[in-house]
């Protein structure tokens, strides 16, 4: 492990955190060859669709407060699992238990068939982590950072230099290979972070907010990298607050709220479960809107009350088809917009549930 210069404050602390994570992840990674970036089939890589990550009954309390309460999750080879939830829901704690940075109070985690508690070396060799913060070692170049990461894994990869060259080309870093990471743009820093997380050819990689703070062009470039990794059979667990990102990349979603799984399934299934079939948008300033909102909050049987959410100058109301038909009959002259639900509506619905 490289020595950190003193006096670098938060940056030095972030690098130390990354080094601790890497030390825990790698009591060593066996040589698995060069590109493609995911592990070779000869290294018992699961076939596409086969579960790579299996977490069951995870529980964790921090400071005496339950943070994760009985969460199950799986991610298969060639799949992106989007892990969603408001701040404080327990997403980060769940991730840290899955990649071994935190020990679960209860529950089990298996990575590529290896139990993280009883076979930690074998399990950690098969996973990679890209944290939300840029945790490069500022004393090394782009290439040097990849070399240092590759050297953490045992036994040493005999073809490490060739692998690094391949990864540098694959991630579009050739032009910057001999520059310090601090000189890179935000998008290229994220490319380097993801490249570092797959240098040892893991079976599953955890991407925590991989595009936070990037401009649209850089975000799309990262999306293309993620999509390519999935196509090669890598299992990917993604956390993000960008709803368009979750919708475009995720094959399945798992919604966590208050330390528990609120919903799980395809994006369409999760939206139907949490939000509903339709979202009505009503202008807040319209004279009849108050009457409409009162109807939604106390509709006639058998319809269930709705939780309208105000966004700027409009009210957004999630409802099913039967309730929509009843509302139209009750307010035939009211002007409004009806649209399909989005993942933004999901977060509004979760906020409404939390405040209820």
């Amino acid at each position: 492990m490289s020595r950190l210069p003193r006096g670098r404050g938060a940056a030095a602390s972030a690098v130390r955190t990354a080094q601790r994570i890497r030390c825990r992840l790698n009591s060593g990674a066996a040589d698995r060859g060069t590109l493609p970036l995911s592990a070779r089939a000869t290294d018992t890589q699961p076939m596409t669709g086969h579960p790579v990550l299996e977490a069951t009954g995870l529980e964790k309390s921090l400071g005496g407060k339950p943070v994760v309460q009985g969460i199950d999750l799986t991610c298969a080879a060639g799949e992106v699992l989007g892990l969603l939830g408001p701040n404080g829901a327990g997403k980060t704690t769940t991730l840290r238990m899955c990649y071994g940075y935190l020990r679960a109070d209860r529950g089990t985690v298996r990575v590529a068939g290896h139990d993280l508690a009883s076979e930690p070396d074998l399990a950690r060799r098969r996973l990679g982590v890209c944290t939300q913060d840029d945790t490069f070692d500022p004393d090394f170049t782009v290439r040097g950072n990849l070399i240092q990461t590759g050297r953490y894994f045992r036994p040493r990869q005999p073809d490490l230099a060739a692998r690094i060259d391949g990864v540098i080309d694959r991630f579009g870093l050739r032009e910057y290979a001999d520059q310090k990471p601090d000189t890179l743009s935000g998008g290229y820093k994220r490319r380097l972070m993801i490249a570092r997380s797959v240098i040892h050819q893991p079976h599953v990689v955890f991407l925590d907010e991989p595009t936070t703070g990037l401009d649209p062009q850089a975000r799309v470039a990262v999306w293309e990298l993620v999509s390519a990794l999935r196509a090669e059979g890598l299992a990917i667990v993604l956390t993000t607050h960008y709803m368009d990102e979750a919708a475009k990349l995720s094959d399945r979603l798992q919604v966590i709220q208050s330390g528990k799984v609120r919903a799980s399934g395809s994006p369409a299934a999760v939206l139907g479960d949490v939000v509903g079939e339709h979202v009505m948008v009503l202008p807040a300033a319209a004279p009849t809107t108050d009457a409409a909102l009162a109807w939604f909050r106390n509709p006639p049987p058998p319809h269930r009350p709705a939780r309208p959410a105000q966004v700027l100058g409009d009210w957004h109301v999630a409802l099913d088809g039967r309730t929509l038909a009843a509302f139209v009959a009750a307010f035939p002259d009211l002007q409004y917009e009806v649209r399909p639900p989005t993942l933004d509506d999901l977060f509004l619905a979760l906020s409404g549930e939390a405040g209820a």
Side-chain angles (χ1 to χ4, degrees):
M1 185 178 299
S2 59
R3 301 181 69 180
L4 292 174
R6 296 181 179 178
R8 298 212 175 174
S13 176
V15 174
R16 292 189 185 94
T17 298
Q19 290 175 336
R20 289 197 300 271
I21 292 175
R22 291 199 298 271
C23 285
R24 296 184 186 192
L25 294 182
N26 63 54
S27 32
D31 168 34
R32 288 190 283 271
T34 56
L35 297 179
L37 298 177
S38 54
R40 294 187 300 185
T42 53
D43 187 40
T44 64
Q45 181 188 1
M47 297 176 61
T48 298
H50 187 87
V52 176
L53 174 68
E54 300 171 280
T56 305
L58 295 182
E59 297 184 14
K60 186 67 179 179
S61 294
L62 297 174
K65 177 183 178 182
V67 178
V68 175
Q69 305 178 62
I71 285 181
D72 301 337
L73 64 84
T74 63
C75 189
E79 178 184 49
V80 176
L81 172 66
L83 203 59
L84 303 180
N87 290 330
K91 302 188 303 299
T92 298
T93 301
T94 299
L95 282 187
R96 288 178 173 178
M97 287 189 286
C98 286
Y99 59 70
Y101 188 66
L102 286 178
R103 184 183 298 273
D105 295 338
R106 292 183 181 83
T108 61
V109 177
R110 298 182 67 83
V111 181
H114 301 286
D115 188 276
L116 188 58
S118 61
E119 302 175 281
D121 295 351
L122 294 174
R124 287 167 176 158
R125 288 173 184 175
R126 287 156 177 79
L127 60 87
V129 180
C130 175
T131 59
Q132 179 179 351
D133 296 322
D134 293 332
T135 53
F136 311 114
D137 191 321
D139 291 338
F140 293 101
T141 63
V142 167
R143 182 188 299 276
N145 269 271
L146 294 176
I147 291 172
Q148 292 302 310
T149 300
R151 287 176 176 173
Y152 282 116
F153 295 88
R154 295 292 187 274
R156 291 274 180 90
Q157 299 182 70
D159 62 343
L160 180 60
R163 264 207 52 74
I164 289 172
D165 274 337
V167 169
I168 285 174
D169 287 335
R170 177 67 181 278
F171 282 78
L173 294 167
R174 174 65 59 186
E175 181 180 352
Y176 312 103
D178 297 321
Q179 296 183 22
K180 297 292 183 67
D182 290 344
T183 68
L184 302 181
S185 67
Y188 280 92
K189 287 179 179 178
R190 298 314 294 172
R191 291 189 190 202
L192 177 55
M193 283 291 295
I194 298 173
R196 197 175 65 174
S197 73
V198 300
I199 195 67
H200 59 295
Q201 292 183 284
H203 291 158
V204 58
V205 65
F206 298 88
L207 304 180
D208 190 9
E209 305 282 350
T211 64
T212 296
L214 300 187
D215 62 50
Q217 183 178 7
R219 288 179 65 207
V220 170
V222 171
W223 293 353
E224 290 174 346
L225 287 173
V226 173
S227 182
L229 292 172
R230 169 176 52 192
E232 292 178 1
L234 194 64
I236 301 171
V237 181
L238 169 76
T239 68
T240 180
H241 282 109
Y242 295 123
M243 294 301 96
D244 59 335
E245 181 167 282
K248 289 180 184 297
L249 294 179
S250 301
D251 300 294
R252 287 191 302 116
L253 297 176
Q254 188 142 325
V255 180
I256 297 179
Q257 184 179 31
S258 302
K260 300 178 181 179
V261 176
R262 171 63 178 82
S264 182
S266 69
V270 167
L271 286 173
D273 183 18
V274 180
V275 181
E277 300 174 68
H278 310 282
V279 173
M280 178 176 291
V281 182
L282 299 165
T288 55
T289 295
D290 287 344
L293 294 177
W295 189 95
F296 280 123
R297 292 182 176 118
N298 188 26
H303 307 291
R304 293 183 301 175
R307 295 190 182 97
Q310 188 166 11
V311 180
L312 299 177
D314 296 318
W315 285 97
H316 294 240
V317 188
L319 65 166
D320 59 29
R322 291 201 310 168
T323 305
L324 174 60
F327 178 83
V328 170
F331 295 86
D333 300 323
L334 186 64
Q335 292 188 347
Y336 49 82
E337 172 192 351
V338 177
R339 58 171 176 77
T342 68
L343 291 179
D344 290 311
D345 299 309
L346 171 69
F347 265 76
L348 292 174
L350 293 176
S351 297
E353 290 179 359

